[in-house]
Amino acid sequence: MRVTKEQKAWVDITIGKIEEKMFCVAERNLHKIPYTAKDGMFNDYSESKICWWTNGFWPGIMWQMYQLTKEELYRKAAREAEEKLDRNFLVYQKLDHDNGFKWLLSAVADYRLTKDPDSRNRGLLAAQLLAGRYNPEGRFLRAWNEWGGQRHTGWAIIDCMMNLPLLYWAWEETEDPRYLHIADGHGKTALKYFVRGDGSVRHMVELDPVTGDFVREYGGQGYGEGSSWTRGQAWGLYGFVLSYLHTGNQEYLHASRRIANYFLANIPRDGIIPVDFRQPEECEWEDDSAAACAACGLLELSKHVEEADCRLYRNTAIWLLQTLDRERCGWSKKTDYLLERCSVDYHGSDHNIPIIYGDYFFIEGLLKLADKELFMW
Ligand code: GLY
């Protein structure tokens, strides 16, 4: 990617720091699937929480590092996590729209790099299960199965835009256009019901599961209805440009640009991203993962727009990543995490903590800038 001399120097130094730290982290955590860290050390979701939606990000980091360094250690860690994830295929209740996050970054990444037939099999199985969530009349992918005593039959969420690339991959891999029709059908519904006039996006939308008509929105993981949860804005920004990449539909590119422009207009002066752009001013909860994911989306978007906008999006992404590097990265090799202050949501209790997807997108962003990423989406 075209960057200035100073920016390139910073990218090279930061990737060097990532390489040094991640090797120690991978050695210490070879058999785990981490989610967060306590007292600096990663926890492990590979046993009791194997179905959790974030379990692809660790193998995703390991594949990115393997692509960068060709160190066998990373391949081993990634493959072990991928094999452990097989248990999820047998748990109906915990199979949901997040098959993309789980299997694009594990099995599909493996297949892209090694052409392993078992990994291809896992990727296609995951895609088939995701396709099975499609409501053909309402034209949306149902987010989850029943939980909390409610059926949630008509619920869809913006995060799903990041899962559609699993369907695009299956379409490209099998040449079966059903995968494209389903991804594109959901994408068009998301354009209609998630993107607001000001370029912000809703988090959760309930549709009538029989007719597909709009019922209502929910604040979801954000501050409230009508607010803008920052990780959701990043999912939309990045997700729509990915749908453009796979379909060539300009409407997706336009949506991604509108969300990006809204995001840019709301970044606080210090470059630190809150949990929700509409949260109370005195609230100190942040979300480094939203900053890192938005940066990746902006970098992808910058490749598809004219020069002036390209510079704007690329430089903003670099500013976000440099702010994280300077203010929010734990570079000590004695700790496992990179980003210090991610938040699960606004109303819950997990704020300003390390979370694995924050680290994943930080690494992806740096590798994008250096043209060294393994493209996962
Ligand atoms: N996909 C759920 C989240 O972003 O927390």
Side-chain angles (χ1 to χ4, degrees):
M1 189 164 282
R2 204 147 42 83
V3 291
T4 65
K5 234 160 92 191
E6 291 76 27
Q7 287 169 338
K8 182 175 179 332
W10 167 75
V11 168
D12 290 346
I13 290 171
T14 311
I15 290 180
K17 291 195 291 187
I18 290 172
E19 272 189 59
E20 276 191 35
K21 173 151 181 163
M22 289 317 294
F23 193 78
C24 305
V25 174
E27 269 188 322
R28 271 199 299 272
N29 296 282
L30 197 55
H31 306 296
K32 291 185 188 172
I33 303 184
Y35 169 68
T36 185
K38 194 154 187 265
D39 301 324
M41 297 293 122
F42 275 151
N43 69 345
D44 181 17
Y45 269 18
S46 73
E47 292 299 327
S48 59
K49 296 226 173 169
I50 190 60
C51 303
W52 192 234
W53 74 275
T54 62
N55 285 345
F57 289 100
W58 171 251
I61 292 174
M62 295 296 101
W63 284 123
Q64 292 289 6
M65 295 309 298
Y66 178 72
Q67 150 96 350
L68 182 69
T69 64
K70 294 291 173 288
E71 282 288 353
E72 188 54 18
L73 176 77
Y74 296 123
R75 196 193 61 78
K76 271 197 192 142
R79 191 55 78 71
E80 186 172 323
E82 177 185 335
E83 285 169 3
K84 285 177 173 165
L85 263 169
D86 283 354
R87 279 175 36 217
N88 193 176
F89 282 128
L90 293 178
V91 189
Y92 160 78
Q93 180 57 26
K94 300 209 168 158
L95 283 162
D96 53 33
H97 73 117
D98 280 329
N99 282 13
F101 285 127
K102 289 176 192 166
W103 281 287
L104 270 174
L105 304 178
S106 58
V108 178
D110 189 342
Y111 176 65
R112 287 190 213 266
L113 279 172
T114 69
K115 293 283 167 255
D116 185 281
D118 289 343
S119 300
R120 179 179 189 271
N121 180 50
R122 291 183 178 105
L124 290 177
L125 197 50
Q128 187 87 324
L129 287 164
L130 178 56
R133 307 193 69 76
Y134 192 61
N135 180 321
E137 188 63 27
R139 300 192 183 178
F140 67 91
L141 287 157
R142 175 180 172 173
W144 310 284
N145 301 335
E146 321 62 29
W147 53 268
Q150 280 190 39
R151 291 211 180 274
H152 299 108
T153 328
W155 288 40
I157 70 174
I158 191 67
D159 320 31
C160 191
M161 291 307 298
M162 293 297 291
N163 291 316
L164 300 187
L166 178 64
L167 300 175
Y168 294 127
W169 168 78
W171 163 50
E172 286 148 12
E173 186 60 29
T174 62
E175 297 181 7
D176 183 339
R178 289 175 307 154
Y179 294 110
L180 168 66
H181 297 327
I182 291 173
D184 196 38
H186 181 90
K188 285 185 178 136
T189 300
L191 281 175
K192 192 162 159 195
Y193 293 129
F194 282 87
V195 189
R196 301 187 184 112
D198 64 359
S200 67
V201 292
R202 295 167 162 154
H203 182 204
M204 294 178 181
V205 160
E206 183 177 352
L207 304 170
D208 183 315
V210 177
T211 62
D213 291 341
F214 180 82
V215 176
R216 58 167 289 194
E217 78 165 291
Y218 295 89
Q221 285 165 255
Y223 178 60
E225 277 161 55
S227 77
S228 40
W229 175 48
T230 54
R231 196 162 60 254
Q233 310 309 300
W235 294 145
L237 192 176
Y238 199 179
F240 277 111
V241 73
L242 290 171
S243 272
Y244 167 69
L245 201 69
H246 290 284
T247 64
N249 181 344
Q250 292 284 336
E251 282 185 280
Y252 292 136
L253 181 63
H254 187 61
S256 176
R257 293 181 69 149
R258 287 177 56 218
I259 302 166
N261 294 342
Y262 175 87
F263 200 98
L264 261 57
N266 281 278
I267 301 176
R269 265 168 205 263
D270 60 5
I272 300 288
I273 302 301
V275 179
D276 193 306
F277 283 132
R278 295 291 170 266
Q279 72 190 33
E281 208 178 334
E282 63 278 10
C283 176
E284 291 184 349
W285 294 333
E286 302 170 10
D287 190 5
D288 295 345
S289 77
C293 178
C296 292
L298 288 169
L299 290 176
E300 199 53 49
L301 182 58
S302 75
K303 297 178 195 164
H304 307 286
V305 294
E306 58 280 12
E307 178 57 24
D309 284 343
C310 167
R311 259 197 327 269
L312 173 68
Y313 295 146
R314 189 179 58 225
N315 287 337
T316 306
I318 292 172
W319 173 46
L320 289 171
L321 293 169
Q322 286 182 329
T323 305
L324 291 174
D325 166 34
R326 207 177 47 246
E327 312 278 344
R328 294 292 181 261
C329 269
W331 286 116
S332 162
K333 282 184 243 161
K334 294 196 180 125
T335 57
D336 287 338
Y337 61 85
L338 285 173
L339 301 186
E340 292 166 344
R341 299 196 195 171
C342 306
S343 292
V344 171
D345 54 18
Y346 185 84
H347 292 286
S349 54
D350 293 329
H351 300 119
N352 296 1
I353 58 167
I355 311 184
I356 197 72
Y357 43 76
D359 290 5
Y360 172 81
F361 285 108
F362 182 73
I363 293 171
E364 185 189 289
L366 263 300
L367 296 181
K368 260 190 204 302
L369 283 165
D371 292 321
K372 290 181 175 167
E373 73 168 320
L374 168 64
F375 190 73
M376 298 278 190
W377 312 101

